[in-house]
Each structure stands twice: as C-alpha cells, then as structure tokens.
mmCIF file of all heavy atoms in Angstrom:
data_model
loop_
_atom_site.group_PDB
_atom_site.id
_atom_site.type_symbol
_atom_site.label_atom_id
_atom_site.label_comp_id
_atom_site.label_asym_id
_atom_site.label_seq_id
_atom_site.Cartn_x
_atom_site.Cartn_y
_atom_site.Cartn_z
ATOM 1 N N MET A 1 17.792 5.160 0.272
ATOM 2 C CA MET A 1 17.301 4.315 -0.837
ATOM 3 C C MET A 1 16.955 2.923 -0.340
ATOM 4 O O MET A 1 15.927 2.361 -0.714
ATOM 5 C CB MET A 1 18.348 4.210 -1.948
ATOM 6 C CG MET A 1 18.482 5.443 -2.754
ATOM 7 S SD MET A 1 16.976 5.712 -3.712
ATOM 8 C CE MET A 1 17.560 6.946 -4.810
ATOM 9 N N ARG A 2 17.825 2.359 0.510
ATOM 10 C CA ARG A 2 17.543 1.019 1.046
ATOM 11 C C ARG A 2 16.263 1.029 1.873
ATOM 12 O O ARG A 2 15.450 0.114 1.786
ATOM 13 C CB ARG A 2 18.728 0.516 1.863
ATOM 14 C CG ARG A 2 19.894 0.064 1.010
ATOM 15 C CD ARG A 2 20.961 -0.661 1.818
ATOM 16 N NE ARG A 2 21.645 0.224 2.746
ATOM 17 C CZ ARG A 2 22.680 0.978 2.434
ATOM 18 N NH1 ARG A 2 23.168 0.956 1.208
ATOM 19 N NH2 ARG A 2 23.249 1.736 3.338
ATOM 20 N N CYS A 3 16.071 2.085 2.661
ATOM 21 C CA CYS A 3 14.859 2.197 3.477
ATOM 22 C C CYS A 3 13.625 2.352 2.585
ATOM 23 O O CYS A 3 12.610 1.687 2.799
ATOM 24 C CB CYS A 3 14.981 3.378 4.434
ATOM 25 S SG CYS A 3 13.547 3.569 5.509
ATOM 26 N N LEU A 4 13.706 3.208 1.575
ATOM 27 C CA LEU A 4 12.590 3.408 0.653
ATOM 28 C C LEU A 4 12.260 2.109 -0.086
ATOM 29 O O LEU A 4 11.093 1.738 -0.224
ATOM 30 C CB LEU A 4 12.927 4.527 -0.329
ATOM 31 C CG LEU A 4 11.826 5.004 -1.257
ATOM 32 C CD1 LEU A 4 10.598 5.453 -0.481
ATOM 33 C CD2 LEU A 4 12.345 6.137 -2.124
ATOM 34 N N ALA A 5 13.291 1.390 -0.526
ATOM 35 C CA ALA A 5 13.079 0.110 -1.211
ATOM 36 C C ALA A 5 12.386 -0.888 -0.282
ATOM 37 O O ALA A 5 11.472 -1.608 -0.691
ATOM 38 C CB ALA A 5 14.401 -0.457 -1.708
ATOM 39 N N TYR A 6 12.813 -0.914 0.969
ATOM 40 C CA TYR A 6 12.189 -1.800 1.948
ATOM 41 C C TYR A 6 10.710 -1.457 2.125
ATOM 42 O O TYR A 6 9.859 -2.347 2.132
ATOM 43 C CB TYR A 6 12.924 -1.706 3.287
ATOM 44 C CG TYR A 6 12.250 -2.486 4.382
ATOM 45 C CD1 TYR A 6 12.405 -3.862 4.472
ATOM 46 C CD2 TYR A 6 11.442 -1.856 5.323
ATOM 47 C CE1 TYR A 6 11.776 -4.589 5.462
ATOM 48 C CE2 TYR A 6 10.804 -2.565 6.322
ATOM 49 C CZ TYR A 6 10.980 -3.933 6.389
ATOM 50 O OH TYR A 6 10.348 -4.649 7.364
ATOM 51 N N LEU A 7 10.400 -0.170 2.258
ATOM 52 C CA LEU A 7 9.007 0.252 2.429
ATOM 53 C C LEU A 7 8.161 -0.107 1.204
ATOM 54 O O LEU A 7 7.020 -0.560 1.343
ATOM 55 C CB LEU A 7 8.938 1.754 2.706
ATOM 56 C CG LEU A 7 9.547 2.204 4.036
ATOM 57 C CD1 LEU A 7 9.628 3.716 4.098
ATOM 58 C CD2 LEU A 7 8.773 1.642 5.210
ATOM 59 N N ILE A 8 8.723 0.086 0.010
ATOM 60 C CA ILE A 8 8.010 -0.278 -1.218
ATOM 61 C C ILE A 8 7.797 -1.780 -1.269
ATOM 62 O O ILE A 8 6.699 -2.261 -1.582
ATOM 63 C CB ILE A 8 8.768 0.225 -2.458
ATOM 64 C CG1 ILE A 8 8.733 1.756 -2.512
ATOM 65 C CG2 ILE A 8 8.200 -0.392 -3.737
ATOM 66 C CD1 ILE A 8 9.669 2.364 -3.542
ATOM 67 N N TRP A 9 8.835 -2.546 -0.948
ATOM 68 C CA TRP A 9 8.730 -4.010 -0.965
ATOM 69 C C TRP A 9 7.668 -4.484 0.023
ATOM 70 O O TRP A 9 6.892 -5.391 -0.285
ATOM 71 C CB TRP A 9 10.087 -4.630 -0.640
ATOM 72 C CG TRP A 9 10.073 -6.114 -0.718
ATOM 73 C CD1 TRP A 9 10.195 -6.882 -1.835
ATOM 74 C CD2 TRP A 9 9.913 -7.016 0.375
ATOM 75 N NE1 TRP A 9 10.116 -8.213 -1.507
ATOM 76 C CE2 TRP A 9 9.946 -8.318 -0.150
ATOM 77 C CE3 TRP A 9 9.740 -6.855 1.739
ATOM 78 C CZ2 TRP A 9 9.810 -9.442 0.650
ATOM 79 C CZ3 TRP A 9 9.612 -7.983 2.530
ATOM 80 C CH2 TRP A 9 9.644 -9.253 1.986
ATOM 81 N N GLN A 10 7.605 -3.868 1.207
ATOM 82 C CA GLN A 10 6.585 -4.225 2.197
ATOM 83 C C GLN A 10 5.184 -3.960 1.672
ATOM 84 O O GLN A 10 4.262 -4.701 1.950
ATOM 85 C CB GLN A 10 6.800 -3.429 3.498
ATOM 86 C CG GLN A 10 7.993 -3.862 4.294
ATOM 87 C CD GLN A 10 7.787 -5.227 4.920
ATOM 88 O OE1 GLN A 10 6.748 -5.502 5.512
ATOM 89 N NE2 GLN A 10 8.769 -6.082 4.780
ATOM 90 N N ARG A 11 5.026 -2.898 0.922
ATOM 91 C CA ARG A 11 3.708 -2.499 0.405
ATOM 92 C C ARG A 11 3.298 -3.306 -0.822
ATOM 93 O O ARG A 11 2.158 -3.703 -0.964
ATOM 94 C CB ARG A 11 3.770 -1.012 0.056
ATOM 95 C CG ARG A 11 2.528 -0.429 -0.458
ATOM 96 C CD ARG A 11 1.783 0.178 0.653
ATOM 97 N NE ARG A 11 0.718 1.017 0.105
ATOM 98 C CZ ARG A 11 -0.237 1.465 0.830
ATOM 99 N NH1 ARG A 11 -0.247 1.215 2.106
ATOM 100 N NH2 ARG A 11 -1.172 2.172 0.308
ATOM 101 N N VAL A 12 4.259 -3.554 -1.724
ATOM 102 C CA VAL A 12 3.962 -4.183 -3.011
ATOM 103 C C VAL A 12 4.189 -5.690 -2.977
ATOM 104 O O VAL A 12 3.479 -6.439 -3.637
ATOM 105 C CB VAL A 12 4.820 -3.534 -4.130
ATOM 106 C CG1 VAL A 12 4.628 -4.230 -5.456
ATOM 107 C CG2 VAL A 12 4.522 -2.058 -4.237
ATOM 108 N N GLY A 13 5.183 -6.143 -2.236
ATOM 109 C CA GLY A 13 5.527 -7.554 -2.224
ATOM 110 C C GLY A 13 6.519 -7.859 -3.325
ATOM 111 O O GLY A 13 7.219 -6.984 -3.813
ATOM 112 N N SER A 14 6.566 -9.093 -3.746
ATOM 113 C CA SER A 14 7.552 -9.484 -4.752
ATOM 114 C C SER A 14 7.133 -8.991 -6.142
ATOM 115 O O SER A 14 5.955 -8.801 -6.418
ATOM 116 C CB SER A 14 7.729 -10.997 -4.759
ATOM 117 O OG SER A 14 6.526 -11.622 -5.121
ATOM 118 N N PHE A 15 8.130 -8.793 -6.986
ATOM 119 C CA PHE A 15 7.897 -8.330 -8.344
ATOM 120 C C PHE A 15 9.107 -8.699 -9.183
ATOM 121 O O PHE A 15 10.156 -9.072 -8.649
ATOM 122 C CB PHE A 15 7.641 -6.818 -8.393
ATOM 123 C CG PHE A 15 8.661 -6.018 -7.641
ATOM 124 C CD1 PHE A 15 9.851 -5.631 -8.233
ATOM 125 C CD2 PHE A 15 8.438 -5.663 -6.331
ATOM 126 C CE1 PHE A 15 10.794 -4.916 -7.534
ATOM 127 C CE2 PHE A 15 9.373 -4.937 -5.625
ATOM 128 C CZ PHE A 15 10.553 -4.564 -6.228
ATOM 129 N N ASN A 16 8.966 -8.605 -10.488
ATOM 130 C CA ASN A 16 10.098 -8.844 -11.379
ATOM 131 C C ASN A 16 11.113 -7.729 -11.188
ATOM 132 O O ASN A 16 10.814 -6.725 -10.565
ATOM 133 C CB ASN A 16 9.622 -8.903 -12.837
ATOM 134 C CG ASN A 16 8.876 -10.188 -13.123
ATOM 135 O OD1 ASN A 16 9.169 -11.223 -12.542
ATOM 136 N ND2 ASN A 16 7.896 -10.117 -13.998
ATOM 137 N N PRO A 17 12.286 -7.850 -11.738
ATOM 138 C CA PRO A 17 13.286 -6.792 -11.542
ATOM 139 C C PRO A 17 12.744 -5.403 -11.892
ATOM 140 O O PRO A 17 12.036 -5.222 -12.880
ATOM 141 C CB PRO A 17 14.405 -7.174 -12.494
ATOM 142 C CG PRO A 17 14.284 -8.656 -12.641
ATOM 143 C CD PRO A 17 12.797 -8.929 -12.570
ATOM 144 N N ALA A 18 13.077 -4.440 -11.022
ATOM 145 C CA ALA A 18 12.701 -3.049 -11.246
ATOM 146 C C ALA A 18 13.645 -2.436 -12.273
ATOM 147 O O ALA A 18 14.826 -2.746 -12.307
ATOM 148 C CB ALA A 18 12.768 -2.273 -9.942
ATOM 149 N N ILE A 19 13.121 -1.573 -13.100
ATOM 150 C CA ILE A 19 13.913 -0.846 -14.093
ATOM 151 C C ILE A 19 13.776 0.629 -13.768
ATOM 152 O O ILE A 19 12.663 1.147 -13.696
ATOM 153 C CB ILE A 19 13.431 -1.136 -15.524
ATOM 154 C CG1 ILE A 19 13.571 -2.623 -15.813
ATOM 155 C CG2 ILE A 19 14.190 -0.296 -16.535
ATOM 156 C CD1 ILE A 19 12.937 -3.067 -17.104
ATOM 157 N N GLY A 20 14.898 1.294 -13.562
ATOM 158 C CA GLY A 20 14.871 2.690 -13.147
ATOM 159 C C GLY A 20 14.999 3.661 -14.299
ATOM 160 O O GLY A 20 15.519 3.332 -15.358
ATOM 161 N N ILE A 21 14.511 4.845 -14.077
ATOM 162 C CA ILE A 21 14.658 5.964 -15.002
ATOM 163 C C ILE A 21 15.823 6.806 -14.482
ATOM 164 O O ILE A 21 15.858 7.137 -13.304
ATOM 165 C CB ILE A 21 13.368 6.817 -15.038
ATOM 166 C CG1 ILE A 21 12.158 5.982 -15.419
ATOM 167 C CG2 ILE A 21 13.533 8.015 -15.941
ATOM 168 C CD1 ILE A 21 12.148 5.494 -16.830
ATOM 169 N N PRO A 22 16.788 7.171 -15.334
ATOM 170 C CA PRO A 22 17.914 7.994 -14.844
ATOM 171 C C PRO A 22 17.373 9.292 -14.250
ATOM 172 O O PRO A 22 16.366 9.795 -14.714
ATOM 173 C CB PRO A 22 18.734 8.280 -16.100
ATOM 174 C CG PRO A 22 18.361 7.179 -17.048
ATOM 175 C CD PRO A 22 16.933 6.835 -16.745
ATOM 176 N N ASN A 23 17.948 9.783 -13.269
ATOM 177 C CA ASN A 23 19.176 9.446 -12.593
ATOM 178 C C ASN A 23 18.881 8.730 -11.283
ATOM 179 O O ASN A 23 19.348 7.632 -11.059
ATOM 180 C CB ASN A 23 20.026 10.679 -12.310
ATOM 181 C CG ASN A 23 20.604 11.274 -13.573
ATOM 182 O OD1 ASN A 23 20.980 10.551 -14.486
ATOM 183 N ND2 ASN A 23 20.656 12.574 -13.643
ATOM 184 N N GLY A 24 18.141 9.353 -10.398
ATOM 185 C CA GLY A 24 17.838 8.758 -9.104
ATOM 186 C C GLY A 24 17.059 7.462 -9.204
ATOM 187 O O GLY A 24 17.184 6.591 -8.354
ATOM 188 N N GLY A 25 16.271 7.320 -10.226
ATOM 189 C CA GLY A 25 15.479 6.107 -10.398
ATOM 190 C C GLY A 25 16.324 4.867 -10.607
ATOM 191 O O GLY A 25 15.921 3.768 -10.249
ATOM 192 N N LEU A 26 17.508 5.023 -11.170
ATOM 193 C CA LEU A 26 18.419 3.887 -11.339
ATOM 194 C C LEU A 26 18.891 3.383 -9.979
ATOM 195 O O LEU A 26 18.976 2.176 -9.755
ATOM 196 C CB LEU A 26 19.616 4.280 -12.206
ATOM 197 C CG LEU A 26 19.294 4.626 -13.654
ATOM 198 C CD1 LEU A 26 20.548 5.117 -14.372
ATOM 199 C CD2 LEU A 26 18.702 3.425 -14.369
ATOM 200 N N ARG A 27 19.169 4.315 -9.079
ATOM 201 C CA ARG A 27 19.589 3.926 -7.730
ATOM 202 C C ARG A 27 18.454 3.248 -6.981
ATOM 203 O O ARG A 27 18.678 2.276 -6.250
ATOM 204 C CB ARG A 27 20.075 5.150 -6.965
ATOM 205 C CG ARG A 27 21.382 5.695 -7.501
ATOM 206 C CD ARG A 27 21.827 6.967 -6.789
ATOM 207 N NE ARG A 27 21.935 6.757 -5.365
ATOM 208 C CZ ARG A 27 21.459 7.604 -4.447
ATOM 209 N NH1 ARG A 27 20.863 8.721 -4.800
ATOM 210 N NH2 ARG A 27 21.599 7.348 -3.161
ATOM 211 N N LEU A 28 17.231 3.735 -7.164
ATOM 212 C CA LEU A 28 16.088 3.109 -6.495
ATOM 213 C C LEU A 28 15.865 1.711 -7.062
ATOM 214 O O LEU A 28 15.604 0.779 -6.313
ATOM 215 C CB LEU A 28 14.830 3.962 -6.637
ATOM 216 C CG LEU A 28 13.571 3.405 -5.982
ATOM 217 C CD1 LEU A 28 13.778 3.124 -4.500
ATOM 218 C CD2 LEU A 28 12.393 4.338 -6.207
ATOM 219 N N ALA A 29 15.968 1.542 -8.370
ATOM 220 C CA ALA A 29 15.812 0.226 -8.983
ATOM 221 C C ALA A 29 16.868 -0.740 -8.427
ATOM 222 O O ALA A 29 16.560 -1.890 -8.117
ATOM 223 C CB ALA A 29 15.921 0.321 -10.501
ATOM 224 N N TRP A 30 18.113 -0.272 -8.291
ATOM 225 C CA TRP A 30 19.172 -1.116 -7.734
ATOM 226 C C TRP A 30 18.801 -1.539 -6.316
ATOM 227 O O TRP A 30 18.937 -2.712 -5.966
ATOM 228 C CB TRP A 30 20.498 -0.364 -7.757
ATOM 229 C CG TRP A 30 21.592 -1.152 -7.119
ATOM 230 C CD1 TRP A 30 22.360 -2.096 -7.708
ATOM 231 C CD2 TRP A 30 21.989 -1.100 -5.746
ATOM 232 N NE1 TRP A 30 23.224 -2.631 -6.779
ATOM 233 C CE2 TRP A 30 23.023 -2.031 -5.574
ATOM 234 C CE3 TRP A 30 21.573 -0.349 -4.650
ATOM 235 C CZ2 TRP A 30 23.637 -2.242 -4.340
ATOM 236 C CZ3 TRP A 30 22.195 -0.559 -3.425
ATOM 237 C CH2 TRP A 30 23.214 -1.496 -3.286
ATOM 238 N N ALA A 31 18.335 -0.588 -5.502
ATOM 239 C CA ALA A 31 17.962 -0.893 -4.134
ATOM 240 C C ALA A 31 16.787 -1.863 -4.083
ATOM 241 O O ALA A 31 16.781 -2.795 -3.277
ATOM 242 C CB ALA A 31 17.626 0.393 -3.362
ATOM 243 N N LEU A 32 15.803 -1.678 -4.961
ATOM 244 C CA LEU A 32 14.654 -2.597 -4.995
ATOM 245 C C LEU A 32 15.080 -3.992 -5.401
ATOM 246 O O LEU A 32 14.619 -4.986 -4.831
ATOM 247 C CB LEU A 32 13.599 -2.076 -5.981
ATOM 248 C CG LEU A 32 12.768 -0.910 -5.502
ATOM 249 C CD1 LEU A 32 12.015 -0.285 -6.676
ATOM 250 C CD2 LEU A 32 11.793 -1.331 -4.411
ATOM 251 N N ASN A 33 15.965 -4.093 -6.377
ATOM 252 C CA ASN A 33 16.414 -5.403 -6.840
ATOM 253 C C ASN A 33 17.356 -6.078 -5.856
ATOM 254 O O ASN A 33 17.556 -7.289 -5.924
ATOM 255 C CB ASN A 33 17.067 -5.278 -8.213
ATOM 256 C CG ASN A 33 16.066 -4.893 -9.274
ATOM 257 O OD1 ASN A 33 14.894 -5.237 -9.204
ATOM 258 N ND2 ASN A 33 16.507 -4.130 -10.251
ATOM 259 N N SER A 34 17.913 -5.305 -4.930
ATOM 260 C CA SER A 34 18.811 -5.858 -3.910
ATOM 261 C C SER A 34 18.072 -6.228 -2.634
ATOM 262 O O SER A 34 18.649 -6.836 -1.745
ATOM 263 C CB SER A 34 19.893 -4.833 -3.573
ATOM 264 O OG SER A 34 20.676 -4.563 -4.718
#
C-alpha cells in the first residue's frame, strides 16, 4: 500500500485528503494521506 501510494503520488502530485471506499480502499486512502 505504501509503495502504491508513493507511485500514485508521483503520478498525480499533491491533492486534498483521499477518501477510501471500504474495504481495501480505506487502507489505500490512509497510505495516500500518510
């Protein structure tokens, strides 16, 4: 998740807090916001 969040952040750049869809999406949102 941390690696995926890093790759997304590299591609998209900064953004407002991510909001995840349960179940796995919540973990991805946490990783993106961290």
Side-chain angles (χ1 to χ4, degrees):
M1 286 293 193
R2 285 190 292 275
C3 181
L4 187 56
Y6 174 79
L7 294 171
I8 292 169
W9 183 82
Q10 288 290 313
R11 181 94 167 167
V12 175
S14 63
F15 49 86
N16 287 328
I19 299 171
I21 303 291
N23 290 323
L26 294 175
R27 291 177 56 225
L28 180 56
W30 176 85
L32 284 166
N33 293 329
S34 298

